[in-house]
Structures are given as C-alpha cells and as structure tokens.
Amino acid sequence: MESRIKLLGHPVHPMLVMFPIALFVAAVIFDVIDVAGGPGFLGELAYWNILVGLIGGVLAVVAGAVDLLAVPAGTRAKRVGVAHAATNLGVLLLFAAIWAVRMAADNRAAGGALVAIEVVAIAGAGLGAWLGGELVDRLGVGVDPDADLNASSSLRPRPADRRLGDIR
C-alpha cells in the first residue's frame, strides 16, 4: 500500500517522526544530566526540545493519520496501525503534560518524578517505532508498489505517470 502524502517520491510521515523522537530523547538526556548535577541550562534546553518535539509530533500525526485512514478495515495492518497511532499519541500526551507542568513551574527544570515519566514516554516511543517498523517492513504499508532492488529513482517519473489522466 503506497503512502498518500509524499514529498519528492517518498512518504512524508517517516520523514517527520524522526524529529520529535530525537528531540524527546535529547530532552531526557539533558534532564538526566541536569538532575544529576549538570549545568542548569540543560533543564531549560530540555523544556524547549519538548515544545519543538510536540509541534513536530503533531505534524507527524497528521501525515500518519492520512495514511492510516487509507488502510483497509479488518486487516492486521489496520490493527497494528491503530496500536502504533495510539501508542505514539500517548507519548505525545505524556510529553505535553510534562511540558505543561514545567511551563507552570518557577523554573523549567524537571525533577526526578518528571524524568521518570519522560523515561516511560521514551519507552513508549520505542514501542511505537517498533509498531511502525512492523507496518512498513512486514505489512508493506507506505511502500511503493514498484519497489525492488533495482527500482529507478523516485525522482524519475514512472512510464504510467506520463500518460494523460494517470493520477498518483
């Protein structure tokens, strides 16, 4: 099943998910170092990483939702896709709650309890990533139907694309 939203021939959803994941992981690392006695600016930096990660996560959710809606009902791919979406939405909600607590605090640093929640959220992100891999690698969701080891570049039009009225 081919992805519905593409940029230069490649699915947009996997392009977008790497940013919030990286920002959230960096935030957790910065918070762990801060809580362990590292420089105080790391807590502030983690706070801003979470905010930007949330913005990127919302964009990734939109692109993923478009693809998920195209997966046929009653398939294993739909069940795995819904689990993938629910898991990653849970991660976003946890980080949104962490960000809101920090926004309301006198300083932006996280204490031990928030860092523990962040670690749980990162574990959830790992599960969500595994489910996403299952969708692509095992179930072929988002994969170009002409994919093979010798496929032409995604930047080259396919012969069918040159026909009048062929919409992809």
Side-chain angles (χ1 to χ4, degrees):
M1 187 195 111
E2 195 169 1
S3 180
R4 298 291 190 237
I5 302 178
K6 290 185 164 192
L7 177 66
L8 299 174
H10 291 282
V12 169
H13 178 66
M15 289 183 209
L16 293 175
V17 297
M18 70 176 119
F19 296 107
I21 291 171
L23 288 161
F24 292 154
V25 168
V28 173
I29 292 169
F30 294 157
D31 278 339
V32 167
I33 294 169
D34 182 43
V35 167
F41 72 90
L42 289 178
E44 179 84 16
L45 185 57
Y47 169 85
W48 291 106
N49 272 14
I50 291 170
L51 175 61
V52 176
L54 289 169
I55 294 166
V58 168
L59 295 173
V61 163
V62 170
V66 170
D67 285 344
L68 180 58
L69 290 172
V71 176
T75 62
R76 180 168 179 265
K78 188 67 153 196
R79 290 188 304 275
V80 172
V82 168
H84 169 72
T87 300
N88 288 324
L89 279 173
V91 169
L92 281 179
L93 290 173
L94 282 174
F95 274 107
I98 291 163
W99 181 80
V101 167
R102 292 170 82 158
M103 182 178 66
D106 288 337
N107 72 26
R108 310 290 181 166
L114 286 180
V115 172
I117 295 168
E118 288 177 351
V119 169
V120 169
I122 289 299
L127 174 61
W130 183 86
L131 290 166
E134 188 76 358
L135 283 167
V136 174
D137 292 340
R138 297 290 296 159
L139 300 169
V141 173
V143 176
D144 189 298
D146 296 327
D148 70 45
L149 296 177
N150 290 310
S152 64
S153 168
S154 60
L155 297 175
R156 287 190 176 177
R158 297 180 209 152
D161 290 339
R162 293 189 184 125
R163 292 193 315 249
L164 193 59
D166 185 30
I167 299 173
R168 288 199 189 240

